[in-house]
Amino acid sequence: MLSRRIFRTKPWSSGGWRGLLYDYTAAHISPPVMVTAKQSCLFLSRDFKSMPSCSAHTFNYGDKIDEFQPLCEVQSDKATIEITSRYKGEVSEILHAPGDIVKVGETLLKLFVSELSVPSQICDTMEVDNDSCDSDIQASQSQETERGGVLSTPAVRNIAKMYNINIKDVSGTGKDGRVLKEDILRYAASKGVIKDIPSSITADSVKQESDRENMHQDDYEDKTYPLRGFHRAMVKTMTAASKIPHFYFVEEINCDALMDLKAFFQKHSDPDVKHTSLPILIKSLSMALKKYPLLNSRFSEDSYEVTLKGSHNIGIAMATPSGLVVPNIKKVQSLSILEITKELSRLRDLAMANKLSQDDISGGTITLSNIGSIGGKFGSPLINAPEVAIIAIGRAQKLPRFDDNGNVNPASITTVNIAADHRVLDGATVAYFCKEWKSFIEKPELYMLHMR
């Protein structure tokens, strides 16, 4: 006998997906599950002004879906979050093609699941209270807590409980020792609890390169494509920047001492750590900001107030396959050059994999754009509001320069261009700041006089 029962599941930590079960025969037919993106979008809307969209992964009819297998990527203006399936089952219907933008509330796909995996909470209506839903998701997201000294999410703890594993025995590989689902599965495999780690768990996220390749296959046809994620954020940021009166200050800096210091670090430190000039520039910038804190501030147009930020959260502009992104290194004034090097490497790896967290890309106080790593001597950057300054660093090149005795010698010269919000910063302040920063770069021994 065909009966109609509607279930509503509670939100969970991976973005708050809701499953709707309908029209099934309890004894013979597995219930189809209709997965929607409504809750995940409600959750993200409290962090972003514009609603995010979902880009579905590649699935075919009849494909097996494992629990916690990635289903889609939710792209907002600032970050990309991967949403996984709460159910284990088989694809029964696909409603969107890979790469489609799925609007809020639309169905992605339908699954046939076993009754054992269906939640038992029954509701009499399919109507969703948006206000209560939003608050539930926020509470769910905040449940990433330390219990018994172990940092993990409720979803990961559920996997550990399913395999009867004490999560305290598992070594976490995530940030700050966070235990990930991969850690649980590896531990279970090592103890013989499971034979193999599911390929859907260990597989990398679907890349976006194929879309770009297809877009350029035929150069003779006009093609229109929507701006997503970081590209869309850049439109908003640059539109806001166009309203700011920019003041530019350009200076040449001799980087001979900087190059020698980088070579010394590479020779006398951990060989697994690749040293570059950028961490030294970042640390020296923080040293200069201590004397000129106005460049490390935020301006409010509404209240005509300037807030001097206590932490030097220095953003680093990075070009990625997903677009321009500016993660920032937190509290640079309290970090060593080695710690900055490691943090910069972590952020770069996450940026290239499109896995930066909201914390990684928020809270910046001043931005560095190292265009010289790609090429180019000079650039005129645009301020990342509400910050009041951004610095573009050009490529270092060997040029003839006179020394104090009038002799011509080769020197490693780079050009820096500081863009400042002229509503907050005057030219003299920017010039004095640049002079201070330049002295630290050209004479690194001055670090010893000011470091604590």
Side-chain angles (χ1 to χ4, degrees), residues 140-191:
S140 174
Q141 185 69 11
S142 65
Q143 287 178 357
E144 291 190 3
T145 56
E146 289 189 50
R147 299 180 184 176
V150 179
L151 190 63
S152 66
T153 64
V156 173
R157 293 181 181 276
N158 182 48
I159 301 176
K161 185 178 180 180
M162 182 172 59
Y163 291 116
N164 197 24
I165 294 175
N166 187 347
I167 198 169
K168 295 181 180 179
D169 298 334
V170 182
S171 298
T173 60
K175 184 179 180 181
D176 299 326
R178 182 185 300 273
V179 177
L180 308 176
K181 59 179 176 287
E182 292 87 349
D183 301 327
I184 298 292
L185 295 174
R186 291 192 193 98
Y187 183 85
S190 67
K191 296 298 182 180

Side-chain angles (χ1 to χ4, degrees), residues 317-361:
M318 297 181 181
T320 73
S322 301
L324 177 67
V325 62
V326 187
N328 62 82
I329 303 175
K330 301 290 193 295
K331 299 180 180 179
V332 173
Q333 71 268 36
S334 63
L335 300 179
S336 67
I337 294 177
L338 181 59
E339 290 172 329
I340 294 172
T341 301
K342 293 180 179 180
E343 177 66 4
L344 183 63
S345 177
R346 182 188 74 85
L347 292 175
R348 184 180 290 112
D349 291 343
L350 290 176
M352 298 308 294
N354 202 14
K355 296 296 182 182
L356 288 168
S357 68
Q358 179 64 19
D359 182 63
D360 291 329
I361 58 180

Side-chain angles (χ1 to χ4, degrees), residues 57-72:
H57 286 192
T58 303
F59 295 107
N60 296 315
Y61 178 83
D63 283 355
K64 302 294 183 180
I65 302 295
D66 291 328
E67 191 175 10
F68 305 112
Q69 178 175 342
L71 287 178
C72 71

Side-chain angles (χ1 to χ4, degrees), residues 10 17 24 28 32-33 38 47 58 64 81 124 127 139 141 180 251 266 270 277 329 340 344 377 387 390 445:
K10 290 184 178 180
W17 283 77
Y24 70 98
H28 303 289
V33 179
K38 192 164 189 175
D47 293 322
T58 303
K64 302 294 183 180
I81 301 174
D124 296 329
E127 294 298 327
Q141 185 69 11
L180 308 176
E251 179 64 290
Q266 194 63 59
D270 188 348
S277 303
I329 303 175
I340 294 172
L344 183 63
K377 306 175 184 178
E387 298 174 12
I390 182 173
E445 57 270 18

